[in-house]
Amino acid sequence: AVQNLQDSRGLAIAEDFTCALTKTDIECWGFDRGEAISHEEVHVHTLPNLQASSLSASQRTTCAVDQNDKLRCWGSDMLESFGIAASSTPAEVAAPIKELASMTAGWESCYLSTDGQLSCGTWNWYGSAQPNFMITTSTPDVRDIAAGQPPSCTIEGPASKAKLLCGGSMAERKHVSEYKANPVEVAARNMRACVADDGGNVSCFGFLYYWGSSPPPPLNLTKVAGLGKVTMLASSSYHDCALSKVGRVTCWVGRTDTQWGPDGQPIAVSYKAETPKEMTELGDTVIQITAGNASLCALDKAGTVKCWDDNPYGQETTRWLDLPQLEPMVEISAGFDHTCGRQRDGRVTCWGDDVYGQLGRIPSRVHLQPTRIPID
């Protein structure tokens, strides 16, 4: 029986929620994905009982190393079959990660430790009351990873002789022989990737997830000028951004173009960078940049976070996003449609979409009790 519901005159049942017409009003309960029942202006949550030493986000998942040196993750990419309560509760991952550098999430998840160990595996819940992560591959000497799905890329090998590897997935990546420099940083999303070498120079290329029987076309690398000496890269759906050694951020729209032959096979894939624009509003004290699917964020030395939207039409005007009141951060990381930050005392605060538990709580849109719908 539905509690606190009286004098019901009729029901309307949707996929995720139910509404009842009473004598005086309309009462609804369930999972309100579209926020018709109630509306929260800003979805934000600080996870309880978690003091993290490092964190990383990918897609709709966030992971952090907690105060007991355990890697814990929350979000729907690997825990969805356990329901929203499990997805929104940090679950321990049996991976040898003492300090998390980066990660990729999905059916196959990969975790990169700051010591260069890349652990990849799958989530298994058969015969178990709790999710169980099984490591299938372990790769040493990995310096960076990026999963734009596709492409998925890694930088591997000794610092002075590293190689860039990319593929349609982490399991399919191969050496990018067209790239001749020594790579140190890579970002990828939406059929393209950008890589910075040890001299701070940036080159980008389009990537075609190819299913044909003939060999795929070679990668055409495009150098992006006017960025300074680059130390960090971030890519959203349309924009690529670079952080220079002096703390300045420059962004540009990156577009991928595929040329097709008369037989329907691809001939070439190219990357075009529109004119880069320095984000002067961020100043010259930025220490980290991160990108989700539709937004980008920067963190400065004072711990201030600023985010802006991913505008496919250019970088001439920037729409800055309204953020909740945040404590000073020391680290940030963006997933598909949410961002998390680590505060100086180790607390983790996440903001953005929360439908899939990616903020580390049961979504605010889940109404277990009938909620009155205001009618003007």
Side-chain angles (χ1 to χ4, degrees):
V2 178
Q3 297 180 358
N4 303 321
L5 182 65
Q6 297 178 349
D7 198 21
S8 176
R9 305 295 179 89
L11 290 176
I13 302 174
E15 179 181 0
D16 297 309
F17 67 93
T18 301
C19 291
L21 175 65
T22 71
K23 184 178 179 180
T24 58
D25 54 31
I26 298 174
E27 304 273 351
C28 298
W29 63 94
F31 194 173
D32 181 22
R33 292 174 185 263
E35 295 186 299
I37 296 176
S38 184
H39 182 71
E40 185 180 51
E41 290 294 331
V42 178
H43 301 291
V44 58
H45 179 61
T46 299
L47 280 81
N49 306 317
L50 176 64
Q51 288 182 300
S53 57
S54 57
L55 65 79
S56 183
S58 175
Q59 296 195 83
R60 293 187 171 105
T61 298
T62 307
C63 297
V65 177
D66 68 9
Q67 59 268 35
N68 299 315
D69 292 331
K70 301 293 185 181
L71 180 65
R72 296 189 178 276
C73 300
W74 59 93
S76 67
D77 294 299
M78 64 288 190
L79 302 177
E80 189 171 12
S81 295
F82 278 87
I84 192 63
S87 297
S88 59
T89 303
E92 183 177 339
V93 179
I97 307 294
K98 296 299 182 183
E99 187 174 356
L100 184 62
S102 188
M103 63 172 284
T104 68
W107 175 257
E108 180 185 44
S109 299
C110 294
Y111 305 96
L112 177 62
S113 176
T114 54
D115 63 6
Q117 191 74 24
L118 180 66
S119 301
C120 296
T122 57
W123 287 87
N124 175 25
W125 54 84
Y126 299 109
S128 172
Q130 296 294 325
N132 184 25
F133 182 74
M134 303 292 294
I135 296 176
T136 55
T137 61
S138 184
T139 307
D141 265 350
V142 177
R143 308 199 165 273
D144 196 16
I145 60 174
Q149 288 154 356
S152 294
C153 299
T154 57
I155 295 175
E156 302 179 21
S160 59
K161 296 181 180 180
K163 293 183 178 180
L164 176 67
L165 290 81
C166 293
S169 67
M170 292 296 290
E172 298 171 331
R173 66 190 192 279
K174 297 180 181 179
H175 177 217
V176 181
S177 58
E178 294 90 345
Y179 187 76
K180 306 299 183 182
N182 185 40
V184 296
E185 178 81 12
V186 63
R189 193 178 295 267
N190 198 18
M191 298 294 188
R192 69 189 197 280
C194 292
V195 57
D197 63 23
D198 53 5
N201 305 298
V202 174
S203 297
C204 302
F205 56 89
F207 182 90
L208 179 66
Y209 196 15
Y210 184 69
W211 291 280
S213 56
S214 58
L219 296 178
N220 294 317
L221 291 144
T222 299
K223 291 185 178 180
V224 183
L227 304 179
K229 188 172 183 178
V230 172
T231 59
M232 184 174 290
L233 297 167
S235 295
S236 59
S237 284
Y238 298 101
H239 283 86
D240 297 310
C241 292
L243 173 63
S244 71
K245 186 178 180 179
V246 296
R248 297 191 181 100
V249 177
T250 303
C251 297
W252 63 96
V253 175
R255 305 192 188 279
T256 300
D257 181 55
T258 304
Q259 295 180 340
W260 303 89
D263 58 354
Q265 298 297 313
I267 299 174
V269 181
S270 59
Y271 175 95
K272 180 181 178 181
E274 295 194 0
T275 304
K277 175 194 173 185
E278 184 179 329
M279 306 290 290
T280 55
E281 300 92 335
L282 297 173
D284 57 2
T285 61
V286 176
I287 59 174
Q288 187 184 0
I289 55 175
T290 185
N293 184 57
S295 63
L296 303 100
C297 297
L299 173 68
D300 65 19
K301 291 180 180 179
T304 303
V305 180
K306 292 183 180 180
C307 299
W308 62 99
D309 70 343
D310 180 57
N311 176 12
Y313 303 107
Q315 198 66 28
E316 293 78 15
T317 58
T318 299
R319 187 173 74 91
W320 297 93
L321 304 180
D322 292 330
L323 299 182
Q325 186 172 358
L326 300 171
E327 295 291 331
M329 300 288 178
V330 295
E331 182 181 15
I332 56 173
S333 187
F336 187 82
D337 42 21
H338 78 289
T339 305
C340 291
R342 179 169 61 90
Q343 295 158 217
R344 292 190 176 110
D345 60 2
R347 287 179 297 156
V348 174
T349 299
C350 301
W351 62 93
D353 190 35
D354 72 340
V355 166
Y356 300 96
Q358 59 268 56
L359 302 193
R361 68 174 183 187
I362 293 179
S364 61
R365 312 170 205 200
V366 174
H367 303 271
L368 302 180
Q369 299 293 330
T371 302
R372 182 180 179 274
I373 302 299
I375 302 175
D376 295 332

